[in-house]
Amino acid sequence: MQARLILILLLIAFAAVSRSVLAQDKGTLDPQPLPPLANPNDPKIGAKQLFARKLLPSAQPAKVIGAYNKGCLAGAAKMPWDGDTWQVMRISRNRYWGYPGTLALLKRLSVKAHKDAGWPGLLIGDIGQPRGGPALSGHASHQIGLDADVWLTPMPDHTLSRQDREEMSATMMVRNDRLDIDPKAWTPQHWMVLRDAAQEPAVQRIFVNAAIKKALCREATGDRHWLEKIRPWWGHDYHFHIRLRCPPGATECHGQQDQTGGDGCKPSDLGYWFKESVLHPKPEPAKPRVGITLAQLPKDCKAVLNAPNAKPQ
Ligand SMILES: [Zn+2]
């Protein structure tokens, strides 16, 4: 009887682990081009189909157009795959493009986190597509080159192979019951890296799993002002999401208000996220969605889409 119980518990634990591993998409060493669209001028086609087929940025000056979840990016720059204190992951996704200021921020943060927190370096996940815009998978935002995902796994001490970059799993930071961080994975360096990111004036918000926000609230010492920018959001068990404010003078960028209301650590701030219905939402059947069309994006996104390719960087 007891052996059966142990077996059942092991199976449950295994199911939980395999689910959390699957929750992180792997890349491929052999990315295949998307098939051409039968009728790319069909006004009813999802804009994601058009933007996902652009493999290089537009040959235009860098310009942020629209909102984080409804826009595009002209003249994107490429995040170099390797630096002393960063490496780009999941190269096959071709989402290492961003507004130049975003890439400068990531580079600066990687150096600062290395110095302040002893963090070896940043593993960079998705930034944006070469021309921004909606994507076929993964995000509603990341459309205007001002969002970037950074793994919560420290960079290994060697240059990762292409295969590692596609297949290595990030570290799961959240405990199985989802009520707190996993103490085996979480370190004081984690909150220092998040603090360094939040203290950057160009950063407006950072999204993390609620369990991580809870840990930050408990552990952060000294000035706690930066906690105001860190916001719980679904997912984000393996990575944090940095969102930059609109760059100065970017008149076509539709930004957001700064967050207010203090450090967000009160039980009334966090309680919502630990309700049963939020921790374990009922799975919704996946419906194929067209998503927003080109006509629903800002007008200039059509010019971004139709502009010639920039030279490979
Ligand atoms: Zn993200």
Side-chain angles (χ1 to χ4, degrees), residues 5-294:
L5 184 66
I6 290 170
L7 181 67
I8 291 170
L9 288 176
L10 278 174
L11 282 173
I12 292 170
F14 178 73
V17 168
S18 51
R19 215 177 28 244
S20 59
V21 170
L22 287 176
Q24 212 214 355
D25 291 343
K26 293 202 188 323
T28 169
L29 284 168
D30 183 26
Q32 297 297 319
L34 291 163
L37 292 166
N39 186 1
N41 296 319
D42 179 353
K44 287 200 283 293
I45 211 165
K48 62 186 174 184
Q49 299 289 348
L50 305 169
F51 280 91
R53 282 172 170 75
K54 293 293 177 185
L55 303 182
L56 286 167
S58 64
Q60 292 174 302
K63 189 164 77 166
V64 174
I65 302 162
Y68 300 98
N69 61 357
K70 203 178 194 180
C72 61
L73 175 65
K78 176 186 174 182
M79 185 71 186
W81 294 350
D82 291 284
D84 288 343
T85 45
W86 77 85
Q87 296 188 44
V88 173
M89 304 299 284
R90 305 294 193 257
I91 306 265
S92 63
R93 291 164 71 86
N94 197 26
R95 295 188 187 164
Y96 40 76
W97 305 91
Y99 184 72
T102 306
L103 311 188
L105 178 276
L106 290 169
K107 293 173 188 172
R108 192 163 68 241
L109 175 63
S110 75
V111 172
K112 192 169 144 194
H114 184 74
K115 270 202 215 125
D116 295 357
W119 193 255
L122 302 181
L123 294 179
I124 311 284
D126 284 358
I127 307 172
Q129 301 182 116
R131 302 189 188 199
L136 289 172
S137 65
H139 314 274
S141 65
H142 287 256
Q143 294 193 21
I144 53 176
L146 299 178
D147 295 283
D149 290 341
V150 176
W151 287 28
L152 287 157
T153 310
M155 187 178 89
D157 63 1
H158 58 276
T159 303
L160 292 166
S161 66
R162 253 319 271 280
Q163 184 163 6
D164 285 341
R165 292 182 202 232
E166 300 300 344
E167 294 176 1
M168 188 179 130
S169 288
T171 316
M172 174 60 160
M173 305 304 302
V174 179
R175 210 166 67 185
N176 264 342
D177 65 7
R178 308 202 55 80
L179 296 175
D180 212 315
I181 42 94
D182 180 349
K184 290 194 290 298
W186 181 257
T187 66
Q189 281 75 33
H190 282 94
W191 73 254
M192 290 184 215
V193 172
L194 285 159
R195 177 201 56 196
D196 283 353
Q199 284 178 339
E200 285 284 340
V203 171
Q204 191 171 37
R205 276 173 172 65
I206 293 177
F207 300 104
V208 296
N209 185 275
I212 294 174
K213 173 82 192 199
K214 191 184 192 179
L216 295 173
C217 288
R218 182 171 60 224
E219 294 174 20
T221 54
D223 172 29
R224 290 167 64 90
H225 240 84
W226 55 274
L227 282 165
E228 194 162 46
K229 290 188 189 173
I230 301 203
R231 180 171 183 154
W233 204 249
W234 286 273
H236 300 89
D237 304 359
Y238 302 86
H239 74 269
F240 62 104
H241 173 144
I242 299 177
R243 174 167 293 168
L244 277 72
R245 57 184 80 251
C246 284
T251 50
E252 290 184 54
C253 178
H254 300 201
Q256 294 173 313
Q257 298 289 325
D258 281 355
Q259 298 200 124
T260 53
D263 61 13
C265 292
K266 291 195 290 292
S268 55
D269 298 323
L270 284 171
Y272 167 81
W273 292 98
F274 295 99
K275 290 198 308 196
E276 181 54 30
S277 56
V278 178
L279 280 178
H280 301 109
K282 286 212 185 73
E284 281 177 39
K287 306 184 225 151
R289 289 206 186 115
V290 173
I292 41 181
T293 61
L294 189 54

